Amino acid sequence: MESKNILLKKKEFILNNYLSVVELKAIKPTKFLFLIKDEIKTLLRFYSKKEIHLMINTVFEKDLSLSLLYLFCSENMDLDSKSDSKSRAGVKDSKINSNAKNIVNNVDDLTNNTLDFISKNLPKKQI
């Protein structure tokens, strides 16, 4: 699996720069997930969380629980996509508001034009 290369490179990097093999196996699962957060984010574009879980456990020889990975992803990965969708929604809201102002102006113009038309074309009461 080619995606394991990403994880293998990260494992090499961690072992060469930060931790020994023993420390890597002993690190708390949550801290470990934060170490590989960017790689998880990249893999999420192409794989399910279950597949990523299997890859992580295989490459790093860890026994992470699937539920921990799901929780980690829901708390740390989905926030970025939610903020993106909120910012996109903000852009849509501003467009809708500007369109609504134009519609209101058009309705006001239409109302004025209608009243003018009615006042000019309706027969006047005779007293």
Side-chain angles (χ1 to χ4, degrees):
M1 200 179 279
E2 203 170 298
S3 300
K4 283 187 179 180
N5 289 340
I6 295 171
L7 295 174
L8 285 171
K9 287 178 185 178
K10 185 64 173 190
K11 181 180 179 181
E12 270 183 44
F13 180 78
I14 291 170
L15 291 175
N16 291 334
N17 297 311
Y18 298 109
L19 303 171
S20 68
V21 175
V22 174
E23 290 172 325
L24 183 60
K25 287 188 178 186
I27 194 169
K28 290 186 177 182
T30 309
K31 288 183 180 181
F32 171 71
L33 289 173
F34 274 106
L35 277 176
I36 61 170
K37 180 180 178 182
D38 293 333
E39 286 72 20
I40 294 172
K41 192 179 232 179
T42 303
L43 291 171
L44 278 172
R45 287 191 226 153
F46 307 105
Y47 297 98
S48 69
K49 292 174 187 169
K50 191 172 184 177
E51 292 170 321
I52 294 170
H53 171 257
L54 182 63
M55 283 188 261
I56 290 171
N57 282 343
T58 305
V59 170
F60 288 95
E61 299 167 9
K62 304 269 301 165
D63 191 25
L64 288 174
S65 69
L66 183 58
S67 59
L68 178 65
L69 181 67
Y70 271 85
L71 181 64
F72 178 80
C73 290
S74 69
E75 290 178 352
N76 298 294
M77 302 299 169
D78 295 338
L79 293 176
D80 296 337
S81 62
K82 286 179 187 175
S83 64
D84 288 346
S85 64
K86 284 182 182 178
S87 65
R88 288 185 207 133
V91 170
K92 287 181 184 177
D93 287 344
S94 64
K95 287 181 181 178
I96 290 171
N97 287 340
S98 66
N99 287 342
K101 288 177 185 176
N102 290 339
I103 290 170
V104 169
N105 289 338
N106 290 342
V107 169
D108 289 341
D109 291 342
L110 180 63
T111 304
N112 290 335
N113 291 339
T114 305
L115 290 174
D116 287 342
F117 177 79
I118 291 172
S119 66
K120 291 177 184 173
N121 294 318
L122 278 179
K124 297 191 181 188
K125 284 186 181 179
Q126 294 188 359
I127 303 180

